[in-house]
Amino acid sequence: MAKLPRFSLAHNEKTKKWELKTEGSSEVVKKFPTKAAALKGGVLEKAVGGRGSVRIRKRDGKIQEERTYPRSADPRGSKG
């Protein structure tokens, strides 16, 4: 199985926005006014092009959860 691109959603104190970035890079894929706006109804999935793993962080930078798109590509969800 091909390796999925990895992203991180975190709060930027300077811009006061939530930023979706490609992990290992400073490239901002998309900015959101609030975390709720990023997480509502498929917005995050569209932002990563329907394929990728997103680490959603709390304001303090700790990982809150991780989501994989498409869900079927999540290795933790596979049943052997």
Side-chain angles (χ1 to χ4, degrees), residues 47-66:
V48 300
R51 286 193 56 77
S53 176
V54 182
R55 287 185 175 161
I56 301 165
R57 299 184 180 275
K58 299 178 185 179
R59 269 192 189 263
D60 66 7
K62 292 182 181 171
I63 297 171
Q64 177 180 337
E65 69 176 287
E66 189 165 352

Side-chain angles (χ1 to χ4, degrees), residues 5-67:
R6 296 181 67 95
F7 301 89
S8 183
L9 178 70
H11 189 259
N12 182 324
E13 283 299 320
K14 288 183 181 180
T15 64
K16 304 294 185 206
K17 303 253 185 223
W18 286 85
E19 297 179 344
L20 180 66
K21 291 184 177 181
T22 304
E23 281 200 357
S25 159
S26 59
E27 173 194 355
V28 176
V29 176
K30 189 158 175 102
K31 292 182 183 183
F32 302 93
T34 64
K35 187 182 207 178
L39 300 179
K40 81 174 175 192
V43 172
L44 200 54
E45 183 175 7
K46 284 181 187 173
V48 300
R51 286 193 56 77
S53 176
V54 182
R55 287 185 175 161
I56 301 165
R57 299 184 180 275
K58 299 178 185 179
R59 269 192 189 263
D60 66 7
K62 292 182 181 171
I63 297 171
Q64 177 180 337
E65 69 176 287
E66 189 165 352
R67 295 185 183 179

